[in-house]
Amino acid sequence: MGNKQTIFTDEQLDAYQDCTFFTRKEILRLHGRYHEMAPNVVPMDYTKDPDVKLPMQLIINMPELKENPFRERIVESFSEDGEGSLSFNDFVDMFSVLSEMAPRELKAIYAFKIYDFNTDNFICKSDLEKTLNKLTREELTAEEITLVCEKVIEEADMDGDGKLGFADFENMISKAPDFLSTFHIRI
Amino acid sequence: MSHSLEKRSESDRGGEKMTQRVDNSSDSDSEEEPITEEELAKLKEEVEEKKKLIATLRNKPWKMKKKLSVLKEAQLFVEKFEGALGKGKGKKFYAYKVMMTKKWMKFQRDFENFKTACIPWEMKIKEIESHFGSSVASYFIFLRWMYGINMILFGLTFGLVMVPEALMGKPYGSLPRKTVPRAEEASAMNFATLWDFSGFAQYSVLFYGYYNNQRTIGWLKFRMPLSYFLVGVGTIGYSFMIVIRTMARNANEDGGGDDTSFNFSWKMFTSWDYLIGNPETADNKFASITTSFKEAIVEEQESRKEENIHLTRFLRVLANFLALCTLAGSGYLIFFVVRRSQKFALEGLENYGWWERNEVNMVMSLLGMFCPTLFDVISSLENYHPRIALRWQLGRIFALFLGNLYTFIIALMDEINLKLEEEKIVKYNMSIWEASLYNGTIPENSTAPPIEVDPADVPRGPCWETMVGQEFVRLTVSDTMTTYITILIGDFLRAVFVRFFNYCWCWDLEYGFPSYSEFDISGNVLGLIFNQGMIWMGSFYAPCLPAINVFRLHTSMYLQCWAVMCCNVPQERVFKASRSNNFYMAMLLFILFLSTLPAVYTIVSIPPSFDCGPFSLSIYYLNATSKSYKEANLELKKKLQSQAEENKRRNKQKAQKSNEQEENPFETEPPQTKQKGKQDESTPNQDNKKGQGDNEAKKTDQPQEASSSQAFQHPGPAPNGHYALQTRGGNLPPPSIAVTRPPGPRGYGMLGYPPGNPRFPGAQPGMPRGPPNYR
């Protein structure tokens, strides 16, 4: 139980364990990953809670996120300032939500945030189009895109406002068989 | 300090409500009045709430900073108002539980990874799926599943039949059946001969004929014939079981998971796999998602199409009618052609030219080339969803291929009958050959010392089982070759031609004719199914067939995967395969059923060869003995009948004589006209009569004895005793035999009591009765 680490105090580690789904070892490993992205900026000693943020460009080049079409949106959803720069707290939070142990409801909340491109708390038609284009790398024709977006709204929109609110989204995603296994990053 | 206060409060209030950790305001209590119960309860509630909050804090969708501060606050609160007792324990237990859960999840994940890693060709199939869609991929998944089954069949035949015989059976060259005959020795090791599976390959563990009919072999006392038979039954049984089980499982899945209420939404929000980190995998995933969307769009468009019900129905009925006509026509053509070829064979093939000789093959090939295209054209009338159209196409071509099967089986049966005729001749020749060996020195052959003959020189029966096995193996090999060559020429060369000659050609080769080929799902699936049918039919006679098939499927997978990615283009309308493969399974089940029929028929009704295979002589022997018993029985019946008639005649004569003489009618025994076959008491009255009867009996006995000893070898005395007892003729009541007399001594340990024999109607006077003497 490595008492010899000096990166965090024991209370800090306990607190992190309570607030995330990670164990002590994993939190320390996460710190290592965070540090190696920018060794000059990220201090090894976090006992004093330094205020260090890494820009989005660095984060989205991580091997785990590099191939993901939604990487920018993911980082933006977890960043405190909304611009995409993550402190270590946000970093840990992000991977905790995306880990295997996180429950469905929590993941649904963040998934909704990720797919809401214009951050208006609704997934409207333009959000859907953007999602679809990212997924297919723009290989579908315009009418195919329209057809798909119409179908999605038709399927999931319960309150009839022509866009998906969080309730609609949650209702739809809770029945999806693949959601938990695909909305998962291992670090 | 709070601790002691706690105790005091507990003892003070009798502690009804405070059985748990008591919460008490430690600070205020020491100086002020004790808090009321409601406030205490409320406080307790709050503490519980805080504790729950701490436990579920990680599930809250807040920013980390907020979570940390909330955590700190809650922890302080709880610490303030809660005793030390119980707090520590709870936390430790919870931490332990969390750790165990994590370990368990890790184990599960590793196991899943291991299981997935064991499945071969997963990446290949995923790649094909992403580029060509799930329908083409379903063929490869089916191929992989068949490969699994064939591996098991291979394990059974190889491990339980081929290996024991090779290791523990008599080696090559020790028995006639295990040696290449002298006449064929020169060419036995040529490649051409081996490729044709004759020569050295024919006289090896690969085929039925090599196996010896010894009951046990080797130091393990391995029962070879039993094992051979059980493996034959086991392969069919296992195949049935696994096909039905897969169908049941697929049916379950189909019913459960076919929820299409959020089809597009789920595709949009849950299709990307966040675990992907590899660029190539990502490319594949993008392609697969695009294809999947296209498939779903096709489905949607299909369902939106407006239909003119009546016209569609009429067209479909018309199309089915045309298809039926085609099938009936080709069925009749096949039947006609086969009959003609049988006629030609009878008249000798030398009289006819090339066309007549190969008529059957040519007709089958032509039908196989043109009919599927015809069905394709017909199906355009029907206007079905592509998935349904594929099924109709498969069904029709399947019916056509059954005709193929029919001709093959007829040809095989003809060959078998020929070989059986040949066998009779060979057996006759063998007795002459044996006699010539001894040069007539010893009259009977039972006690002569056997002359040493090289097994290669012994004249051989034409082992029809090995011939059947060889036919199946040759068919499989030629089928494989044809498929590979078709792929290489039809797909690969065509693609090369289109690609490179496009620059110097008048019209655009890629868009017009011939363009790149599409993957022919129906043809390939049917080929696979029929190939498997051949394996099931032939593996009893050629234990090497599953091994050959495993090799064939293995190479086929690689070759076809390469060919698909390299030479084919995706179909224009990419459609989603049905989630279950139940249609393929149903066809497979049907073919399995059909393949067991010929094998069972040949095992049951055609006698095994006398000098090859593990069942030579045994069933034949039983057959022979039962036949001989039948014959003996018939003879005896005739004898009894004739004796009874004799007696009747004599009695009549006697009666006439006595009437004429008018003497004491009681001098001699009154003529007792008893019917024949009555089993009365019998006391021998007249010795002379009995002697007469005995003499007669002895006389009639000899020819019987001779005939019976020809059929099987009984030791001498016993049957004599029997037959002497039987017929006592004369005035005595006709055959009343073994009822009062004990049966004569039987030869125990002789082989003449096949089980099931006593069922014969002749289990009456004189037949060896009593408990059957099973081995």
Side-chain angles (χ1 to χ4, degrees):
Chain A
M1 282 246 294
N3 275 333
K4 34 189 182 353
Q5 59 86 22
T6 50
I7 310 175
F8 297 103
T9 63
D10 278 343
E11 288 86 24
Q12 276 177 318
L13 278 177
D14 284 341
Y16 276 130
Q17 280 190 74
D18 279 332
C19 294
T20 68
F21 295 95
F22 291 125
T23 59
R24 281 175 64 103
K25 215 164 44 172
E26 285 163 345
I27 294 170
L28 291 169
R29 200 152 41 87
L30 275 169
H31 180 266
R33 293 295 303 272
Y34 192 70
H35 174 83
E36 78 187 9
M37 279 197 281
N40 305 326
V41 180
V42 174
M44 279 306 283
D45 184 357
Y46 254 75
T47 50
K48 306 286 184 277
D49 243 343
D51 184 20
V52 175
K53 285 198 164 93
L54 290 185
M56 173 146 64
Q57 280 311 310
L58 277 180
I59 315 272
I60 61 178
N61 280 325
M62 285 180 72
E64 285 85 355
L65 290 176
K66 199 159 46 106
E67 301 295 333
N68 197 320
F70 302 111
R71 49 189 182 270
E72 290 101 353
R73 280 302 307 154
I74 297 175
V75 175
E76 277 168 14
S77 314
F78 285 95
S79 100
E80 224 179 303
D81 56 12
E83 296 292 309
S85 37
L86 297 183
S87 66
F88 181 68
N89 283 337
D90 304 327
F91 186 76
V92 169
D93 204 19
M94 175 170 77
F95 283 108
S96 167
V97 169
L98 288 166
S99 78
E100 210 166 19
M101 314 267 305
R104 185 188 279 270
E105 301 76 27
L106 184 63
K107 289 194 185 211
I109 294 174
Y110 280 98
F112 185 77
K113 282 204 187 122
I114 289 173
Y115 295 121
D116 181 14
F117 279 76
N118 50 13
T119 56
D120 60 351
N121 281 332
F122 286 103
I123 296 184
C124 58
K125 194 141 180 291
S126 63
D127 293 331
L128 291 174
E129 281 176 14
K130 286 209 193 78
T131 312
L132 192 56
N133 276 327
K134 282 217 190 289
L135 274 178
T136 59
R137 281 188 184 161
E138 296 168 26
E139 288 226 4
L140 295 182
T141 67
E143 32 182 66
E144 287 172 339
I145 296 179
T146 326
L147 175 67
V148 172
C149 296
E150 272 171 21
K151 278 300 289 182
V152 171
I153 297 198
E154 185 190 315
E155 284 170 358
D157 187 17
M158 296 292 145
D159 46 21
D161 53 1
K163 46 193 180 174
L164 303 184
F166 179 66
D168 306 328
F169 183 80
E170 234 239 310
N171 173 46
M172 178 266 294
I173 214 86
S174 61
K175 304 196 177 88
D178 297 330
F179 177 58
L180 279 179
S181 55
T182 54
F183 198 71
H184 166 215
I185 295 186
R186 195 170 301 143
I187 183 144
Chain B
M1 190 162 86
S2 53
H3 204 74
S4 55
L5 274 170
E6 229 181 84
K7 280 209 166 126
R8 218 197 313 139
S9 59
E10 231 181 275
S11 58
D12 272 350
R13 291 158 215 224
E16 316 170 75
K17 280 185 189 174
M18 332 280 173
T19 46
Q20 279 183 343
R21 305 159 287 257
V22 176
D23 14 61
N24 230 334
S25 56
S26 48
D27 310 333
S28 40
D29 252 0
S30 48
E31 284 121 11
E32 298 172 8
E33 295 167 9
I35 304 176
T36 59
E37 277 197 27
E38 297 112 45
E39 281 177 15
L40 204 63
K42 209 169 77 179
L43 208 54
K44 189 174 152 200
E45 223 178 274
E46 268 178 59
V47 173
E48 285 301 309
E49 246 179 70
K50 291 284 186 212
K51 284 218 288 234
K52 209 159 77 171
L53 179 66
I54 294 176
T56 60
L57 193 56
R58 45 174 78 86
N59 294 339
K60 298 275 184 240
W62 301 325
K63 289 278 181 274
M64 187 58 110
K65 255 195 193 157
K66 181 171 170 195
K67 280 198 275 195
L68 287 169
S69 57
V70 165
L71 177 72
K72 218 174 203 165
E73 192 194 310
Q75 278 176 333
L76 279 173
F77 185 86
V78 168
E79 212 180 292
K80 206 165 98 165
F81 293 105
E82 200 192 38
L85 192 68
K87 176 173 155 199
K89 263 192 201 157
K91 203 167 184 181
K92 273 208 183 97
F93 180 67
Y94 182 75
Y96 175 73
K97 219 166 56 165
V98 163
M99 192 189 71
M100 285 316 288
T101 322
K102 282 209 177 156
K103 276 210 174 20
W104 175 242
M105 289 194 76
K106 181 166 189 310
F107 171 74
Q108 272 185 324
R109 185 170 59 222
D110 286 341
F111 186 64
E112 282 299 318
N113 282 349
F114 173 71
K115 267 201 325 195
T116 323
C118 277
I119 302 177
W121 305 312
E122 187 70 16
M123 287 319 294
K124 271 203 197 333
I125 294 183
K126 279 234 150 30
E127 210 181 329
I128 293 179
E129 192 175 27
S130 56
H131 284 103
F132 289 86
S134 49
S135 50
V136 171
S138 73
Y139 164 73
F140 287 96
I141 294 176
F142 188 56
L143 178 63
R144 186 174 62 185
W145 181 81
M146 300 244 48
Y147 178 75
I149 293 190
N150 278 288
M151 278 301 270
I152 308 265
L153 295 186
F154 165 69
L156 278 177
T157 52
F158 189 69
L160 292 177
V161 171
M162 289 170 79
V163 163
E165 181 68 24
L167 291 182
M168 297 192 289
K170 293 217 175 84
Y172 172 83
S174 54
L175 288 177
R177 68 183 63 182
K178 297 193 184 228
T179 328
V180 178
R182 192 67 71 187
E184 294 174 27
E185 242 177 39
S187 62
M189 282 297 275
N190 290 350
F191 180 73
T193 329
L194 285 181
W195 182 257
D196 200 32
F197 284 94
S198 32
F200 195 55
Q202 181 177 352
Y203 298 95
S204 68
V205 283
L206 299 180
F207 288 102
Y208 177 96
Y210 183 83
Y211 293 83
N212 198 8
N213 67 334
Q214 221 178 335
R215 198 153 157 248
T216 64
I217 57 175
W219 54 274
L220 267 179
K221 298 269 184 285
F222 189 78
R223 293 184 178 222
M224 193 66 224
L226 183 69
S227 153
Y228 196 98
F229 181 70
L230 285 183
V231 163
V233 169
T235 49
I236 302 295
Y238 171 75
S239 310
F240 261 114
M241 191 197 75
I242 198 132
V243 170
I244 293 179
R245 191 177 74 158
T246 314
M247 284 181 85
R249 205 185 283 161
N250 282 346
N252 273 348
E253 266 179 30
D254 228 7
D258 221 3
D259 194 357
T260 52
S261 43
F262 291 113
N263 201 11
F264 280 91
S265 317
W266 289 345
K267 277 204 206 308
M268 171 106 50
F269 295 117
T270 64
S271 56
W272 180 261
D273 189 355
Y274 280 52
L275 275 174
I276 292 178
N278 179 352
E280 257 175 48
T281 322
D283 283 339
N284 276 343
K285 192 65 178 174
F286 282 121
S288 127
I289 291 180
T290 313
T291 314
S292 160
F293 269 113
K294 291 206 167 146
E295 284 177 358
I297 292 173
V298 163
E299 300 260 347
E300 183 62 28
Q301 282 169 339
E302 285 289 321
S303 72
R304 278 189 184 177
K305 265 202 309 218
E306 282 176 10
E307 282 190 19
N308 182 353
I309 279 282
H310 299 291
L311 182 65
T312 321
R313 263 197 216 144
F314 169 71
L315 284 176
R316 282 180 189 170
V317 167
L318 178 66
N320 274 321
F321 175 71
L322 287 174
L324 266 173
C325 284
T326 318
L327 281 173
S330 52
Y332 179 70
L333 185 63
I334 292 172
F335 176 69
F336 176 69
V337 159
V338 166
R339 286 289 288 274
R340 256 172 46 121
S341 79
Q342 281 176 323
K343 210 171 52 160
F344 291 156
L346 279 174
E347 295 168 15
L349 283 171
E350 308 78 37
N351 307 337
Y352 295 98
W354 177 85
W355 172 257
E356 279 83 6
R357 261 183 250 233
N358 293 305
E359 198 175 30
V360 179
N361 285 342
M362 287 309 298
V363 164
M364 302 303 308
S365 313
L366 286 173
L367 276 179
M369 260 201 287
F370 288 117
C371 280
T373 343
L374 190 59
F375 288 140
D376 225 353
V377 168
I378 292 177
S379 75
S380 65
L381 271 179
E382 291 177 318
N383 204 13
Y384 276 127
H385 184 291
R387 178 165 65 239
I388 317 262
L390 176 69
R391 284 190 185 172
W392 278 99
Q393 179 84 341
L394 274 173
R396 288 170 185 150
I397 302 183
F398 183 77
L400 185 69
F401 278 14
L402 284 179
N404 243 336
L405 200 63
Y406 168 74
T407 56
F408 179 70
I409 301 226
I410 296 287
L412 216 53
M413 294 305 293
D414 284 343
E415 282 275 327
I416 293 180
N417 285 332
L418 267 176
K419 287 271 165 22
L420 284 176
E421 295 296 321
E422 227 181 283
E423 197 175 15
K424 290 197 187 117
I425 300 177
V426 167
K427 273 207 287 221
Y428 176 70
N429 285 340
M430 254 191 107
S431 49
I432 297 180
W433 175 81
E434 268 183 19
S436 75
L437 272 188
Y438 292 113
N439 284 336
T441 45
I442 302 165
E444 271 141 49
N445 51 6
S446 46
T447 48
I451 295 184
E452 290 293 320
V453 184
D454 190 314
D457 290 322
V458 175
R460 229 53 93 58
C463 206
W464 64 266
E465 292 98 343
T466 303
M467 185 272 302
V468 167
Q470 276 176 319
E471 284 299 316
F472 277 109
V473 172
R474 284 181 197 140
L475 180 71
T476 308
V477 169
S478 77
D479 215 9
T480 316
M481 291 288 109
T482 315
T483 316
Y484 289 179
I485 292 179
T486 316
I487 291 181
L488 283 176
I489 297 185
D491 284 351
F492 182 62
L493 282 187
R494 173 171 158 179
V496 164
F497 175 74
V498 167
R499 178 80 190 284
F500 292 112
F501 278 74
N502 207 12
Y503 300 119
C504 49
W505 206 264
C506 342
W507 68 86
D508 191 346
L509 286 172
E510 278 180 10
Y511 284 109
F513 177 83
S515 83
Y516 299 105
S517 52
E518 286 181 1
F519 187 76
D520 177 19
I521 302 179
S522 53
N524 277 302
V525 166
L526 280 176
L528 204 58
I529 290 180
F530 273 93
N531 168 55
Q532 192 58 38
M534 293 294 117
I535 303 295
W536 279 322
M537 260 197 264
S539 74
F540 187 75
Y541 296 109
C544 63
L545 259 183
I548 295 180
N549 204 33
V550 163
F551 179 69
R552 170 212 161 105
L553 287 176
H554 201 93
T555 49
S556 198
M557 177 60 117
Y558 286 108
L559 181 70
Q560 283 188 309
C561 280
W562 165 79
V564 150
M565 294 300 288
C566 168
C567 326
N568 288 351
V569 287
Q571 282 148 340
E572 273 181 37
R573 304 179 78 206
V574 184
F575 60 93
K576 185 169 155 53
S578 64
R579 198 179 291 216
S580 71
N581 270 342
N582 261 0
F583 192 68
Y584 300 162
M585 292 294 151
M587 285 199 291
L588 199 62
L589 193 65
F590 186 61
I591 280 279
L592 175 58
F593 178 67
L594 280 185
S595 351
T596 48
L597 291 180
V600 168
Y601 173 74
T602 51
I603 292 174
V604 164
S605 69
I606 303 183
S609 302
F610 72 100
D611 69 339
C612 69
F615 306 115
S616 64
L617 290 189
S618 58
I619 302 179
Y620 176 74
Y621 185 75
L622 298 177
N623 234 351
T625 47
S626 71
K627 273 206 192 108
S628 67
Y629 272 122
K630 264 191 190 153
E631 279 167 26
N633 195 25
L634 230 51
E635 290 272 343
L636 284 173
K637 265 195 184 157
K638 281 196 203 139
K639 281 257 153 348
L640 289 173
Q641 245 180 328
S642 60
Q643 276 293 335
E645 274 167 26
E646 267 292 314
N647 288 342
K648 250 202 214 160
R649 208 169 32 82
R650 272 207 215 98
N651 286 341
K652 267 197 196 143
Q653 277 178 357
K654 282 256 166 56
Q656 279 173 1
K657 264 191 201 158
S658 57
N659 280 345
E660 282 172 17
Q661 284 174 13
E662 286 178 4
E663 281 176 6
N664 188 358
F666 303 112
E667 206 176 297
T668 53
E669 281 266 303
Q672 298 172 12
T673 52
K674 301 247 165 79
Q675 295 99 341
K676 67 173 162 85
K678 212 168 169 196
Q679 299 177 23
D680 283 352
E681 39 75 28
S682 62
T683 44
N685 282 344
Q686 316 273 336
D687 280 331
N688 53 344
K689 294 290 185 290
K690 178 169 177 240
Q692 224 180 40
D694 271 343
N695 282 342
E696 278 181 51
K698 283 218 176 67
K699 260 191 277 178
T700 53
D701 256 346
Q702 304 301 2
Q704 225 176 28
E705 204 184 302
S707 65
S708 60
S709 63
Q710 259 174 12
F712 52 93
Q713 294 130 22
H714 277 233
N720 272 348
H722 269 299
Y723 299 138
L725 283 170
Q726 285 169 310
T727 54
R728 257 171 276 119
N731 288 355
L732 296 174
S736 45
I737 308 93
V739 180
T740 54
R741 305 266 172 159
R746 260 181 254 151
Y748 287 99
M750 66 185 209
L751 301 172
Y753 293 94
N757 203 21
R759 262 183 303 173
F760 283 120
Q764 273 171 22
M767 281 309 290
R769 263 189 123 199
N773 197 14
Y774 293 105
R775 248 174 287 181

